[in-house]
Amino acid sequence: MLRNITDEQARHMVDILKKKSELIKNFYHKIEKYRISGDRETYSKKFKELLEKEEIKVYGEKIE
């Protein structure tokens, strides 16, 4: 289902993606071994955990 979004909403979504991309650059090396080995469950769990920690460290709170 497609829905129309405003330009402001689109900019906000892109801004969030850019911020998260920068955060991921800070910790991707810690989870690379799980991605390469194909351990998807552990990779997803560690990714979410590390992303949340990095968001709090950099921005002081979790990003949407």
Side-chain angles (χ1 to χ4, degrees), residues 1 9 13 42 46 48 51 59:
M1 171 171 47
Q9 291 171 324
M13 289 171 41
T42 304
K46 291 283 188 184
K48 289 176 187 176
L51 181 60
Y59 297 111

Side-chain angles (χ1 to χ4, degrees), residues 1-53:
M1 171 171 47
L2 295 175
R3 66 174 234 216
N4 294 330
I5 60 173
T6 65
D7 287 343
E8 184 178 326
Q9 291 171 324
R11 278 191 222 87
H12 179 69
M13 289 171 41
V14 169
D15 186 45
I16 289 173
L17 288 172
K18 285 179 183 177
K19 286 180 180 179
K20 289 194 180 212
S21 176
E22 288 297 319
L23 293 174
I24 292 167
K25 287 180 186 177
N26 295 337
F27 68 82
Y28 79 92
H29 62 280
K30 295 179 181 177
I31 58 173
E32 190 69 8
K33 62 185 172 190
Y34 302 113
R35 186 188 67 79
I36 292 171
S37 71
D39 187 356
R40 191 71 178 158
E41 186 177 316
T42 304
Y43 176 82
S44 296
K45 181 179 156 187
K46 291 283 188 184
F47 178 83
K48 289 176 187 176
E49 180 183 302
L50 290 170
L51 181 60
E52 186 174 323
K53 285 180 181 179

